[in-house]
Amino acid sequence: MSTLLEAIIFKCNQKAETSYIGAQGVTNLLWAMAKLVDNGHKQTPELKGAEAVLLPLVNAKKNQFIPQHITNLLWAMAKLVDNGLKWIPGLKEAVAALLSHVSPQKANFEPQGVANLLWAMAKLVDNGQEQTPELNEAVAALLPHVNTQKDQFIPQHIANLLWAMAKLMDKGQGQTPEFNETVGALLPLVNALKDQFTSQHIANLLWAMAKLGELVELNVVISTFKSLVYRISGNPQVSRQAILMSLWGVMVCCARLSLVSNGNKNNEFERHMDELFTRLKTDFPDNEEDQSIIAMAASWLGVPCPFFPRYQTVISKPQTFFREQLQLCLPTLQIEEEKSLNFLPPVDLLLPDHNIVIEVQGPFHYVDGDCKARNGSTLLKIALLQKAGFEVIEIPVNHLGNQDSMTLCIDQIKTRVNLSAK
């Protein structure tokens, strides 16, 4: 840490006068602090104290920031939050103030700025930022620039942008024609620049393309994964997080192949899955997401899971409503809820006497507003259950809105139950 930065941090913690610090100074200081933390410096009490003093200055000086300031500040806040900064007073206000200035200045952001801004917004959302009108407006303002500036993006920009698109969608960003066009503009660049991506870029790309599910055509997924995944599975220097992201992505690719009638290319990707899983099978992660990835890989490969994964159970209102309606029509039918099968995440409803799983699919299972194109997580869960020997019946939540659709869903289940009983 430089002597000057140490002196400023000290002054901030001594409640010294800070109004003399201009827009450029606030930007440089917060960016430098974020860079320190991102390079491994601990979030010390002194550093946190300085951040708490500087953040209100962002809101106070919001009308003085040029596009580069806005980009650097949102990047810095995303990095700080991702490295442990809590949503302290002043942070939400600072983020909101900056987001409100993105759209008015949208024509002045350079390609790197567009990429960094969308990455920062996705990272903030991933760490608890609400998808406010200011954020949604900022995203909408930047998306058209991805298409017009696509030839100017370097590999890091492309990987970060696709990761950001997938993360925003996963967190509830509404799908729009502009969103689809942005993804469509970026995908051809992946194969074109495939030899220039680092291992972390590749992990981000595999994860993002898998998360986008049926929004990305299967043939595009196959060709892209074939050109990239070997550089992860055969690289001994890849980080644990990159292995986990890549393993999840490869599983989704295998799932998509298994769900189509001519999906005969699984063996090639399953070999990569096995190689990645082997590097993690002695790992005992603390968080549920990482546990789930390893448990699902073990289930797919037919090997013992090295631990008992912990899963949260959430019973949704549509799930409860459909179960009640189904039970009224079939009073003697045994129905279990939130059951974990074969170490997999819990299913909505299980008919144990018939080996049938019913999944009531809400909007977060899809990548479109019509409940037709499923996301990667949904595709993987269905394929894993089928591979474990269960029949899976999907009930899109928009089918529960009227009696005719409800009757069709229940009739479908009656037919399957009667067939399995014979």
Side-chain angles (χ1 to χ4, degrees):
M1 187 186 301
S2 71
T3 304
L4 177 59
L5 184 56
E6 284 181 335
I8 294 173
I9 290 173
F10 176 79
K11 282 189 174 183
C12 288
N13 280 276
Q14 297 300 312
K15 310 299 182 187
E17 178 61 42
T18 55
S19 60
Y20 69 91
I21 304 176
Q24 182 74 57
V26 172
T27 303
N28 290 351
L29 285 168
L30 282 168
W31 183 89
M33 292 175 189
K35 201 71 175 175
L36 277 174
V37 172
D38 194 43
N39 288 333
H41 192 283
K42 290 184 178 180
Q43 280 269 27
T44 61
E46 293 78 15
L47 199 57
K48 291 179 180 178
E51 291 160 2
V53 171
L54 290 170
L55 284 170
L57 295 179
V58 175
N59 198 13
K61 299 178 184 294
K62 59 186 178 184
N63 293 324
Q64 301 175 34
F65 293 124
I66 61 174
Q68 186 178 355
H69 297 158
I70 295 169
T71 301
N72 289 354
L73 282 166
L74 281 170
W75 180 91
M77 291 174 195
K79 282 291 184 181
L80 289 169
V81 170
D82 199 43
N83 283 281
L85 177 64
K86 304 298 181 185
W87 287 92
I88 57 176
L91 178 55
K92 283 187 178 181
E93 293 79 1
V95 170
L98 292 168
L99 289 174
S100 67
H101 281 67
V102 172
S103 184
Q105 301 194 48
K106 62 185 178 183
N108 300 316
F109 289 105
E110 297 180 351
Q112 182 177 349
V114 171
N116 287 353
L117 277 171
L118 285 167
W119 177 90
M121 287 187 270
K123 184 62 75 171
L124 287 166
V125 168
D126 194 34
N127 283 290
Q129 165 72 30
E130 296 178 2
Q131 296 211 24
T132 60
E134 293 91 349
L135 185 136
N136 292 334
E137 184 180 353
V139 171
L142 292 174
L143 289 182
H145 292 273
V146 176
N147 202 358
T148 58
Q149 299 177 351
K150 62 185 179 183
D151 295 332
Q152 301 176 59
F153 292 128
I154 62 174
Q156 182 180 357
H157 298 160
I158 296 164
N160 287 353
L161 281 166
L162 275 170
W163 178 89
M165 294 295 96
K167 181 60 70 174
L168 288 168
M169 182 215 68
D170 191 45
K171 294 295 182 178
Q173 178 73 28
Q175 190 194 24
T176 62
E178 291 78 15
F179 185 97
N180 293 351
E181 289 169 9
T182 298
V183 173
L186 292 169
L187 288 174
L189 302 177
V190 176
N191 270 330
L193 301 173
K194 61 186 178 184
D195 296 328
Q196 300 180 40
F197 293 111
T198 68
S199 57
Q200 187 58 58
H201 296 160
I202 292 171
N204 288 350
L205 288 167
L206 297 178
W207 180 90
M209 292 185 69
K211 182 61 73 173
L212 290 167
E214 292 173 325
L215 185 63
V216 184
E217 292 182 7
L218 181 55
N219 65 322
V220 175
V221 173
I222 293 170
S223 63
T224 304
F225 273 57
K226 286 178 72 173
S227 68
L228 294 178
V229 70
Y230 75 94
R231 291 178 54 197
I232 290 284
S233 62
N235 185 349
Q237 305 300 320
V238 178
S239 70
R240 174 183 172 276
Q241 190 58 35
I243 294 172
L244 281 163
M245 293 175 71
S246 302
L247 176 58
W248 187 85
V250 172
M251 281 194 289
V252 174
C253 183
C254 288
R256 292 195 63 180
L257 282 165
S258 75
L259 293 172
V260 297
S261 58
N262 61 344
N264 56 3
K265 297 184 175 66
N266 259 7
N267 287 341
E268 177 183 352
F269 292 114
E270 284 182 357
R271 185 173 67 253
H272 291 296
M273 187 195 306
D274 185 48
E275 290 171 355
L276 293 166
F277 173 75
T278 299
R279 295 163 70 175
L280 293 169
K281 66 181 181 182
T282 57
D283 200 356
F284 298 91
D286 294 329
N287 69 76
E288 181 180 321
E289 183 178 358
D290 292 355
Q291 286 186 6
S292 176
I293 292 172
I294 295 173
M296 288 189 291
S299 176
W300 189 285
L301 295 167
V303 298
C305 183
F307 49 78
F308 289 94
R310 300 187 305 270
Y311 295 115
Q312 292 183 348
T313 57
V314 179
I315 300 177
S316 67
K317 290 181 179 179
Q319 177 181 327
T320 300
F321 173 69
F322 185 75
R323 176 187 174 154
E324 291 171 350
Q325 297 301 308
L326 183 61
Q327 199 78 77
L328 283 172
C329 294
L330 297 168
T332 61
L333 184 66
Q334 185 180 350
I335 306 174
E336 297 181 12
E337 278 188 291
E338 295 300 314
K339 185 85 171 179
S340 180
L341 306 167
N342 206 32
F343 296 97
L344 299 176
V347 301
D348 290 348
L349 304 175
L350 171 68
L351 312 184
D353 296 334
H354 306 278
N355 243 28
I356 293 175
V357 166
I358 301 170
E359 290 284 283
V360 181
Q361 311 288 44
F364 281 97
H365 290 274
Y366 300 93
V367 293
D368 61 5
D370 300 324
C371 294
K372 292 180 180 177
R374 295 165 291 185
N375 64 29
S377 300
T378 301
L379 294 165
L380 177 56
K381 185 176 182 181
I382 293 167
L384 281 164
L385 288 166
Q386 290 182 353
K387 194 173 177 67
F390 295 93
E391 179 179 355
V392 182
I393 298 175
E394 297 179 78
I395 309 293
V397 72
N398 62 0
H399 287 191
L400 306 182
N402 63 73
Q403 192 58 48
D404 289 341
S405 297
M406 176 77 73
T407 300
L408 286 173
C409 293
I410 293 176
D411 286 346
Q412 178 191 6
I413 293 168
K414 284 180 180 178
T415 301
R416 304 313 305 166
V417 166
N418 290 334
L419 286 173
S420 68
K422 292 181 180 179

